[in-house]
Amino acid sequence: MILDGIFGNKTASRVLLHLFHYNEIHSAAIAKDYGVASTPIRMQLERFEKTGIIVAKNVGRTRVFSFNQKSPFVKPIKAILEIFYHSLTMEEKEKIFSTRRRPREKGKPVYGRT
């Protein structure tokens, strides 16, 4: 993936791409989507947090991460991510972002159930 070369490694590009797609995310969710251990994901998130690119908040016992809107680096990083994100096909997006993270819209039927 071209993002690996831009951001230095596969874990970094996966973390940033997931943050771009979901706006907020925790390490276990990224690890689950890629089928990898959560420790390297968590360590990458912590590195980005130390540099000020992302911020974290506690939601119960889970640390949830998002882009730090006060960082001057976030806008150019998001611009790179946006170019790559929009180059993906719908099938690629469905494969990468397979887990639904938002609640179902009120009144929306659950397909496949009777």
Side-chain angles (χ1 to χ4, degrees):
M1 181 167 27
I2 192 167
L3 292 181
D4 300 350
I6 294 170
F7 296 117
N9 64 59
K10 188 186 316 185
T11 304
S13 58
R14 287 175 170 179
V15 164
L16 292 172
L17 192 59
H18 266 64
L19 275 172
F20 181 81
H21 179 78
Y22 291 114
N23 295 321
E24 283 189 343
I25 196 120
H26 55 91
S27 61
I30 299 170
K32 182 179 177 186
D33 281 352
Y34 286 107
V36 298
S38 62
T39 301
I41 302 290
R42 183 179 38 78
M43 291 172 63
Q44 185 64 59
L45 284 163
E46 289 171 359
R47 281 193 287 274
F48 283 141
E49 185 180 20
K50 284 179 187 173
T51 62
I53 294 170
I54 64 173
V55 293
K57 65 180 178 183
N58 290 327
V59 178
R61 295 183 342 183
T62 304
R63 286 179 52 94
V64 177
F65 296 87
S66 59
F67 281 108
N68 179 1
Q69 299 306 321
K70 295 178 182 177
S71 171
F73 300 104
V74 168
K75 190 173 182 179
I77 288 170
K78 281 183 155 183
I80 292 168
L81 292 167
E82 184 174 15
I83 292 166
F84 179 79
Y85 183 82
H86 290 300
S87 74
L88 295 172
T89 65
M90 186 55 78
E91 292 80 25
E92 290 171 320
K93 288 179 185 176
E94 287 173 355
K95 183 179 176 186
I96 296 170
F97 310 111
S98 61
T99 306
R100 184 179 180 89
R101 298 273 181 326
R102 290 181 289 230
R104 183 173 301 285
E105 183 180 319
K106 186 177 182 179
K108 184 176 180 180
V110 179
Y111 296 103
R113 294 188 182 192
T114 54

